[in-house]
């Protein structure tokens, strides 16, 4: 009462199997249709692997562009000087954390954009010195403009010598400490941002 089982149809055999039921009998690993055990065998370079991605990620490009780094640092210097001057003009006090922020912003911008060029940390420190100095002058101009019948821009551009003399009279040891801290912060940030 049992019926004989018909032989398997050639179109139903997996992996190009040969008659006899052994799917690997038809060839050696590495030949088309024969699994080799390597999940990446036959995979073209750049194609996603078994798990949806390449077996490794390529290294990122090395950035070393002093021109773009310097441009970014100069833009950050102008912005930071304006913000620092506005803080001084509003509070009528120098704030050490703001000077650190000025230096950090300049150094970070230079390092991120310019990369690992060894001149960028030094240039960032110099630009931080300039930025804090001009920020303090802007703060002095804002404070003086509230007491004198002139505008901040008139003081800053038309009476710069007077403004610089007022800054020198107000500058104490703490002023120079803030300038030095900003330079150190810029140097450090430029080196760390490039990594």
């Amino acid at each position: 009462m049992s019926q004989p089982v018909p032989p398997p149809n050639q179109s139903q055999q997996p992996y190009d199997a040969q008659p006899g039921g052994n799917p690997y009998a038809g060839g050696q690993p590495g030949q088309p249709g024969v699994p080799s055990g390597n999940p990446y065998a036959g995979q073209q370079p750049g194609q996603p692997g078994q798990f949806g991605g390449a077996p490794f990620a390529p290294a990122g490009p090395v950035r070393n562009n002093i021109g773009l780094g310097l441009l970014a640092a100069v833009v950050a210097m102008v912005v930071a000087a304006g913000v620092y001057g506005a803080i001084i003009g509003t509070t009528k006090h120098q704030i050490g954390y703001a000077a650190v922020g000025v230096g950090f912003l300049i150094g970070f911008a230079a390092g991120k954009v310019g990369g690992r060029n060894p001149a960028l940390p030094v240039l960032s420190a110099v630009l931080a010195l300039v930025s804090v100095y001009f920020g303090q002058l802007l703060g002095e101009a804002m404070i003086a403009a509230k007491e004198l019948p002139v505008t901040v821009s008139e003081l800053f551009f038309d009476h710069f010598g007077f403004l610089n003399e007022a800054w020198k009279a107000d500058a104490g040891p703490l002023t120079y400490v803030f300038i030095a801290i900003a330079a150190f912060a810029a140097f450090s940030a430029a080196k760390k941002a490039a990594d």
Side-chain angles (χ1 to χ4, degrees), residues 101-183:
V102 167
F104 178 79
L105 179 67
I106 293 168
F108 183 78
K112 264 306 183 197
V113 175
R116 296 183 179 191
N117 192 302
L120 284 176
V122 175
L123 291 171
S124 297
V126 171
L127 291 175
L129 295 171
V130 173
S131 183
V132 170
Y133 170 70
F134 277 110
Q136 289 179 355
L137 285 178
L138 180 60
E140 289 279 342
M142 291 176 73
I143 293 168
K146 293 175 184 174
E147 299 171 6
L148 300 173
V150 292
T151 64
V152 173
S153 60
E154 285 176 338
L155 273 172
F156 205 80
F157 295 112
D158 296 338
H159 304 288
F160 188 79
F162 169 75
L163 188 60
N164 193 35
E165 290 300 319
W167 177 80
K168 285 181 185 177
D170 287 344
L174 199 57
T175 301
Y176 299 107
V177 168
F178 289 155
I179 291 174
I181 288 172

Side-chain angles (χ1 to χ4, degrees), residues 73-95:
V74 168
V75 169
M77 177 194 77
V78 171
V79 170
V83 171
Y84 186 55
I87 290 170
I88 292 173
T90 303
T91 64
K92 297 184 182 181
H93 296 290
Q94 295 181 36
I95 300 172

